[in-house]
Amino acid sequence: MTRLAAALLLLCLGVMAGPAGAADGCGNPPLPDSPPERVVVVHQHAIEILLALGVTDRIVAAGYLDDALPPDLQTGFDRIPVKFDRYLATEAVVGLLPDLVLGGFAAAFGIGGLGPRETFAGLGMPTHVLASGCMTAGDDPVATAIADIRQMGALFDRRQRAEALVAEIEAGLEALTPGPAVTVFIYDGGEKTPYTVGRDGLLPLLLARGGARNVFDDTPGRWATVSWEAVLARDPDLILLVDTAADPAPLKERRLRADPALAGLRALETGQVVTLAFSETVAGIRTGLAARHLARILAAIRPGG
């Protein structure tokens, strides 16, 4: 029997096996007792944690990148045998015989994702979603990212490296110090209606540490759809463009400047438009780097900057 045929048979058996009990708030069953040898990992911040921990040789497939990897991680990523742009089909994942399927967001196992958790559980293939990918209102994204890194460090017996990554985050946070108030509109995308950041998540926390304020900090959720009228009414000091491979920051800026209705925005008139990679907006190993970038951005916009 070929690997594909065996995988399809296992897949059918898994569908019939029924759901497995969840052990935590992310729906995660207990992690394996020993370091996994064959990992399928999806979403960039999850991939970056494993690469930074130095377990590239354990990754059999990885994908769903949002932007460029840091240069020091790209080499490791290039060595991964199977790379994919979006979600692999369930039978393709099963055919890789993983002993862990890891997602950065809960969508990994939702509709259109890699496949239902119940299917993988029925095949004895553990699944896990990072805590940073299923935070709820009030969760501390920095503490959550640190917990994820330490958890993966313990799982793969890379505790020392995990602590070094945590120390990098903590050192980066020190760069953010309060200063004169700055209001910020975070533009993630959208044309008819802008998609932005609400009051929860990493960016509002980092901005607040630097004495800045997300102009939509009264909007619930990590991400939110608002209106251009609301953006105009709040007239931010600074526009922060979230840069992704699918919707690059230069395209976003051209979109803003081409709209006559937005011409009166103070940030466009003064040229206070900056860029931050999407991966720096997600709690993970880049949180310290994001803090340093925001510290430089805020210092430049303030008097004497």
Side-chain angles (χ1 to χ4, degrees):
M1 182 181 292
T2 66
R3 171 176 282 195
L4 178 58
L8 290 172
L9 176 60
L10 288 172
L11 179 57
C12 293
L13 293 172
V15 169
M16 296 187 291
D24 66 14
C26 289
N28 293 320
L31 282 165
D33 293 328
S34 58
E37 297 286 343
R38 297 182 60 82
V39 183
V40 174
V41 54
V42 62
H43 301 132
Q44 186 154 344
H45 63 293
I47 295 168
E48 290 184 356
I49 288 176
L50 298 193
L51 292 175
L53 288 173
V55 295
T56 307
D57 59 327
R58 309 292 181 93
I59 304 173
V60 295
Y64 213 132
L65 300 181
D66 294 294
D67 47 45
L69 288 163
D72 61 324
L73 300 184
Q74 184 65 52
T75 301
F77 183 77
D78 290 342
R79 295 204 306 268
I80 296 171
V82 177
K83 294 178 278 291
F84 48 95
D85 293 331
R86 288 295 181 261
Y87 295 117
L88 284 179
T90 306
E91 58 268 25
V93 177
V94 172
L96 292 166
L97 304 178
D99 51 6
L100 178 65
V101 184
L102 176 66
F105 298 108
F109 305 107
I111 296 173
L114 296 174
R117 283 180 181 269
E118 295 84 357
T119 298
F120 297 116
L123 301 173
M125 297 175 179
T127 58
H128 188 82
V129 175
L130 295 179
S132 58
C134 57
M135 289 186 291
T136 57
D139 288 344
D140 181 334
V142 174
T144 303
I146 288 173
D148 281 335
I149 292 166
R150 285 176 168 154
Q151 184 182 50
M152 290 297 105
L155 175 64
F156 289 97
D157 197 21
R158 296 288 194 279
R159 291 176 177 83
Q160 186 173 355
R161 180 56 188 152
E163 289 307 312
L165 294 172
V166 169
E168 290 174 12
I169 291 174
E170 293 173 338
L173 292 173
E174 295 300 318
L176 282 170
T177 55
V182 174
T183 57
V184 184
F185 167 53
I186 302 160
Y187 181 36
D188 184 54
E191 296 186 43
K192 293 184 178 179
T193 54
Y195 194 53
T196 187
V197 171
R199 68 185 176 207
D200 301 316
L202 180 64
L203 279 186
L205 182 147
L206 295 181
L207 288 171
R209 285 185 67 122
R213 182 178 66 82
N214 170 20
V215 294
F216 288 103
D217 63 0
D218 58 346
T219 304
R222 296 168 66 184
W223 301 94
T225 299
V226 294
S227 69
W228 289 118
E229 290 78 10
V231 175
L232 284 163
R234 300 179 188 210
D235 199 16
D237 300 313
L238 177 71
I239 295 174
L240 192 157
L241 306 173
V242 179
D243 192 29
T244 68
D247 191 13
L251 180 60
K252 288 185 172 78
E253 183 169 359
R254 287 198 297 272
R255 190 182 300 149
L256 293 177
R257 294 192 180 279
D259 189 338
L262 302 178
L265 281 172
R266 182 169 63 252
L268 291 180
E269 290 179 340
T270 60
Q272 299 295 355
V273 181
V274 298
T275 297
L276 198 67
F278 176 83
S279 294
E280 292 181 35
T281 73
V282 180
I285 65 165
R286 294 210 219 181
T287 294
L289 179 63
R292 291 190 179 94
H293 283 173
L294 287 174
R296 289 197 292 269
I297 288 167
L298 295 174
I301 194 176
R302 285 170 170 144

